[in-house]
Amino acid sequence: MPQIEVNNVGYAYRLGEGQTVRALRGVSFTVERGEYIALVGMNGSGKSTLAKLLNGLYVPSAGDVLIDGVNTRDEERTFDIRRKVGMVFQNPDNQMVATIIEDDVAFGPENVGVPREEIVERVNEALEAVGMTQFRTRSASKLSGGQKQRVAIAGVLAMRPDIIVFDESTSMLDPEGRREILAVARKLNDGGITVITITHNMDEAAQADRIIALRKGRIVADGTPKEVFASAAVAECGLMLPPAAETARLLAERGFSFPDAVTTEDELVEGICSQSK
Amino acid sequence: MFKDISFGQYYPADSVIHRLDPRIKMLLTVLFIVGIFFVDSYFGFMVTAALLLVVILLAKLPMMSVLKSVRAIIFIVIFAAVINLFFIKSGEVLWSWKSLQITDNGVHTTIKITLRLILLICGASLLPLTTTPVAIADGTESLLKPLKYIKVPVHDIAMIMSIALRFIPTLFEETNKIIAAQKARGASFDTGGLIARAKAMLPVLIPLFVNSFRRADELAFAMDARCYNATENRTKMKVMKIDWADVVAFFVMAAYFAGVLVERYAFTGIMDGLIFGGLV
């Protein structure tokens, strides 16, 4: 059984009397345990809506979302699903509940009634995993954006999730903060947690094992970064290829031939060197 | 740019007083405030001042941090002193000019009122100086718990308080950003009369409000995603518990309170007579 099963899902927002906007239509895909997936698309492509469908914040208008076989429509199981699927949001300031960092990390476990001793243990563990232990008794307002997002990740980790969804969690950060968060995401994925990151930064998407591209609420590409970058899907979505891939594409137009699809700088260098021989 | 006001006046230090249970500190503060209104002798004020001094030393607070709070009410103190000095007509007249006169009773009352106000503020300021606002919010929740039985949503109130505390610095920062943005477009905030200035704040308040609603929306999603539900089976990482130091502090304050009442009603004026002789 796949860990996440999205079956022919549609979602419509109500705008007012009789008016609706269909954010997603006929979206289907499955995710296996331990995958690292980037969900890409322009603003309004439905990617954030899709993220909120994965942990039952939204319930699909059509189709089903199953997490470990449990339907997100099942209200009895909503909290089980949210415990399993953690979510890190875009704005670091708007997802922190408590003033003191350790109190914020403890918020999730407190909500689901974890015994006190275990909360302390989980908070220690979670802060350790994101490298924020020395800040635990500080006020969150004095941290940098990247540090705040690390605290938000710790808050999710304290729930001991199987899946973490990053909903454009790096888009408000400076390059340094972005690197910090990507490093943490990679480390968590290596530890067996499924990572789904929503982004319109293609460099970031290139680091995933698999890219799902959305356009106007439909999936237009689903494959490895190499496959997706080689197809026309990225341009179709109105997104930019990562610089290395874009360079390779332009060179290819002018008669270069690359044996493999290019996604990283190293591959580009290798490809160009192989030409001159 | 500005001090992190979510910490208020809090003066961080590692002391017995800082570690006291916030609920006990709040109760003791109330007891102290009530107590000092019963003090009516110079001896009583001396004992009160000595007690405060001991607490300040135990809390490792610099004297200035406590006296700072007196500065805030200095005008009220002066006002009260002047009124009492000139308008108490009973007792022996010491000085008079036209309709103004100062009597010995007036002088005593003035000194006592001034002492009472200053000691009152010093004592009350010890709570925010040694307790974080977060701890005060937690303590309030715990103290209000009995109200649950008359259906007061105590937990919700406490959650609202702590979220408000959490967002004060965030909104402050945002206000500054909006002011800067409006200034860049030629808005002026420090010219004109009171009404003109108040009107100038409108273009700051509207975006601030709109953004606050957006923040509230996002925060609600984030809380939902972390399984927030205001039900009974919530647990707490930090549990407040009454320690030996809390018991001792309580008995010290109880002894002070009882002492004040006994001195006032059973030994009226006797202690002052013994110490100051004919002076008072």
Side-chain angles (χ1 to χ4, degrees), chain A residues 93-94 103-104 111 114, chain B residues 166 215 226 234-235 238:
Chain A
D93 278 319
N94 296 355
D103 294 350
D104 188 73
N111 287 337
V114 174
Chain B
R166 150 74 188 80
R215 281 184 196 282
R226 286 164 77 185
R234 246 188 139 245
T235 46
K238 288 179 183 162

Side-chain angles (χ1 to χ4, degrees), chain A residues 88-93 95-96 100-102 104-105 126-127 129-136 138-155 169-170 172-182 184:
Chain A
V88 182
F89 293 84
Q90 180 177 23
N91 188 328
D93 278 319
Q95 52 186 318
M96 249 174 236
I100 309 290
I101 288 164
E102 59 177 355
D104 188 73
V105 177
L127 285 171
V130 298
M132 291 294 289
T133 307
Q134 77 267 38
F135 295 95
R136 62 179 303 160
R138 304 259 193 98
S139 155
S141 61
K142 291 196 177 143
L143 302 179
S144 73
Q147 289 172 326
K148 282 180 193 168
Q149 283 304 53
R150 271 150 68 191
V151 172
I153 296 173
S169 308
T170 60
M172 292 179 71
L173 304 180
D174 56 15
E176 176 62 32
R178 187 181 289 254
R179 261 195 300 279
E180 284 170 28
I181 300 310
L182 289 179
V184 171

Side-chain angles (χ1 to χ4, degrees), chain A residues 57 79 82 89 93-99 102-104 107 110-111 113-114 116 119 139 141 159, chain B residues 4 7 159 166-167 215 218-219 221-229 233-239:
Chain A
L57 285 176
F79 285 136
R82 289 187 186 159
F89 293 84
D93 278 319
N94 296 355
Q95 52 186 318
M96 249 174 236
V97 182
T99 306
E102 59 177 355
D103 294 350
D104 188 73
F107 180 72
E110 284 177 344
N111 287 337
V114 174
R116 202 178 69 84
I119 297 181
S139 155
S141 61
M159 297 291 261
Chain B
D4 184 351
F7 273 93
M159 183 50 85
R166 150 74 188 80
F167 274 90
R215 281 184 196 282
E218 284 182 22
L219 183 69
F221 269 127
M223 288 172 76
D224 265 344
R226 286 164 77 185
C227 299
Y228 180 65
N229 52 4
N233 38 22
R234 246 188 139 245
T235 46
K236 284 221 144 209
M237 176 173 70
K238 288 179 183 162
V239 179

Side-chain angles (χ1 to χ4, degrees), chain A residues 233-255:
Chain A
V234 174
E236 221 174 273
C237 290
L239 295 164
M240 295 266 282
L241 286 171
E246 179 69 8
T247 313
R249 190 183 67 81
L250 292 172
L251 286 171
E253 271 179 17
R254 283 164 181 73

Side-chain angles (χ1 to χ4, degrees), chain A residues 21 27 45 67 80 82-83 86 88 92 104 106 120 123 155 170 173 192 211 218 231 236 255:
Chain A
V21 172
V27 170
S45 61
I67 307 295
D80 292 340
R82 289 187 186 159
R83 233 185 288 189
V88 182
D104 188 73
V120 176
V123 169
T170 60
L173 304 180
I211 294 180
R218 290 179 196 278
S231 73
E236 221 174 273

